[in-house]
Amino acid sequence: MGKKKHGDDASIPIEIGSSDLAYNGYPISKHRSCWIHVVGYLRGCRKKISKQDLLDIELTAPCFLDSIPCRTRSNRRVKSKNSISKQKSKLDSGSFECYFGTIWSHFPEDKRTLFTYLDCQWFAWYRKISYRDKVLSWIKRKEIFSKTYVLVPIVCWDHWSLLIFCHLGESLQSKTRTPCVLLLDSLQMSDPLRLEPDIRKFMFDIYKAEGRPENKQMIYKIPLLVPKVPQQRNGKECGNFVLYYIKLFVESAPENFSIEGYPYFMEKDWFHAEAVERFCERLDSTRKKD
């Protein structure tokens, strides 16, 4: 039997024993290693977890043990092979969630009020019909139409990219607060727009689930923009680039995003690849201190 990738097929909710694991209504998956989800389950569920269950969590969530806050950290943990700056392969979704959580926690409150974000697995789960309704119900809880921007990191075909919904709650006729979607991809030679049919359907279903008045024809006309952003240099950097896109976009995004101002700062010379390396090193250092 072939080895599963950490992209689409393995990115589904799992069960331990006969219980549905959840934290605040969201599933714990094999690839979501952020400790809060597991801790939330352990606190709220009386069912005994076997040693094999814990082993499964450790093996499939390499970032789990390294992300639990503790008073002291050993040298071995500091030199963990899971460090983003020393990784030998692409980020799995669990590690991505941990690093994203660190970045998000360090944004100032005035920035975070403009933004919300979706779990990096939700788009992949949405593409599976059996999980579609559940994903849409989770998104509805996020109240994304009340936010200026919605960050949607996605992993499809073993590749990371970043969707950003802008002004979804505004009138589609607005000139100053233009509803649009950005797709930032560090490997544009792979044709990012191959995702457009899924993105369009995703957006339509989100509007429909919210009971919004916009019809399908109007929603499908919302601009999908693919700025020419800096590109990765090898086959493993896509997740790192998405994290850096998120950091820089949140720091620089205008309060009102207008098509007339596009692409703003999102150009080929936005940053150099070396800046991503330094960012990853600082991110590792920050996580070890937190």
Side-chain angles (χ1 to χ4, degrees), residues 29-96:
S29 77
K30 282 190 174 184
H31 292 283
R32 294 203 57 193
S33 62
C34 288
W35 67 276
I36 189 170
H37 300 280
V38 178
V39 171
Y41 171 73
L42 293 175
R43 288 175 176 171
C45 179
R46 297 179 181 273
K47 181 179 175 61
K48 185 176 180 180
I49 300 178
S50 69
K51 290 183 179 180
Q52 184 60 47
D53 292 331
L54 294 175
L55 178 61
D56 288 343
I57 292 173
E58 180 178 352
L59 291 176
T60 58
C63 184
F64 171 70
L65 294 179
D66 192 45
S67 64
I68 298 179
C70 53
R71 294 188 177 183
T72 60
R73 292 181 180 273
S74 67
N75 292 333
R76 182 179 181 182
R77 184 169 292 164
V78 169
K79 298 178 180 179
S80 170
K81 65 181 179 180
N82 298 314
S83 296
I84 190 173
S85 57
K86 299 178 181 179
Q87 66 188 44
K88 301 300 182 182
S89 59
K90 294 180 183 178
L91 282 179
D92 61 45
S93 56
S95 297
F96 183 97

Side-chain angles (χ1 to χ4, degrees), residues 128-192:
K128 301 176 185 295
I129 295 177
S130 57
Y131 297 105
R132 185 164 296 172
D133 289 342
K134 193 173 288 290
V135 170
L136 291 171
S137 71
W138 299 332
I139 293 174
K140 190 171 183 179
R141 298 179 196 174
K142 301 286 285 187
E143 300 181 345
I144 65 175
F145 288 90
S146 67
K147 296 293 183 177
T148 303
Y149 300 103
V150 184
L151 303 171
V152 189
I154 58 178
V155 56
C156 287
W157 304 300
D158 207 31
H159 176 67
W160 289 97
S161 53
L162 175 65
L163 274 179
I164 305 175
F165 296 149
C166 308
H167 296 307
L168 288 192
E170 299 297 326
S171 166
L172 299 183
Q173 284 74 43
S174 175
K175 299 296 183 182
T176 58
R177 297 170 62 86
T178 313
C180 63
V181 183
L182 304 173
L183 177 55
L184 280 59
D185 196 309
S186 62
L187 194 64
Q188 292 194 353
M189 62 182 295
S190 67
D191 185 20

Side-chain angles (χ1 to χ4, degrees), residues 93-284:
S93 56
S95 297
F96 183 97
E97 286 283 309
C98 290
Y99 285 111
F100 173 81
T102 298
I103 296 169
W104 181 261
S105 68
H106 285 80
F107 288 136
E109 185 62 29
D110 63 324
K111 286 292 184 181
R112 284 189 285 176
T113 56
L114 295 175
F115 287 79
T116 190
Y117 58 87
L118 304 187
D119 184 287
C120 68
Q121 293 284 24
W122 286 1
F123 185 79
W125 291 345
Y126 165 83
R127 295 174 71 226
K128 301 176 185 295
I129 295 177
S130 57
Y131 297 105
R132 185 164 296 172
D133 289 342
K134 193 173 288 290
V135 170
L136 291 171
S137 71
W138 299 332
I139 293 174
K140 190 171 183 179
R141 298 179 196 174
K142 301 286 285 187
E143 300 181 345
I144 65 175
F145 288 90
S146 67
K147 296 293 183 177
T148 303
Y149 300 103
V150 184
L151 303 171
V152 189
I154 58 178
V155 56
C156 287
W157 304 300
D158 207 31
H159 176 67
W160 289 97
S161 53
L162 175 65
L163 274 179
I164 305 175
F165 296 149
C166 308
H167 296 307
L168 288 192
E170 299 297 326
S171 166
L172 299 183
Q173 284 74 43
S174 175
K175 299 296 183 182
T176 58
R177 297 170 62 86
T178 313
C180 63
V181 183
L182 304 173
L183 177 55
L184 280 59
D185 196 309
S186 62
L187 194 64
Q188 292 194 353
M189 62 182 295
S190 67
D191 185 20
L193 286 176
R194 61 182 175 165
L195 282 172
E196 182 171 9
D198 286 334
I199 293 172
R200 294 290 185 187
K201 182 68 167 61
F202 186 48
M203 292 179 62
F204 172 72
D205 283 345
I206 290 174
Y207 271 83
K208 184 178 178 182
E210 289 280 351
R212 300 280 301 186
E214 294 85 354
N215 60 39
K216 183 175 182 179
Q217 184 178 9
M218 296 171 67
I219 295 169
Y220 270 66
K221 286 184 178 180
I222 294 175
L224 174 57
L225 309 172
V226 186
K228 295 181 178 180
V229 292
Q231 300 290 283
Q232 64 191 74
R233 299 168 299 176
N234 57 47
K236 69 178 184 180
E237 292 182 316
C238 52
N240 302 12
F241 269 71
V242 166
L243 288 169
Y244 200 45
Y245 291 153
I246 290 171
K247 178 183 183 297
L248 296 187
F249 188 88
V250 173
E251 291 176 344
S252 304
E255 289 189 16
N256 297 319
F257 192 95
S258 171
I259 295 293
E260 294 179 358
Y262 175 81
Y264 290 95
F265 44 83
M266 295 172 288
E267 298 180 327
K268 287 183 178 180
D269 61 353
W270 187 9
F271 57 84
H272 298 291
E274 291 75 14
V276 180
E277 295 178 4
R278 294 193 295 271
F279 160 73
C280 291
E281 292 171 357
R282 292 194 300 270
L283 187 56
D284 277 326

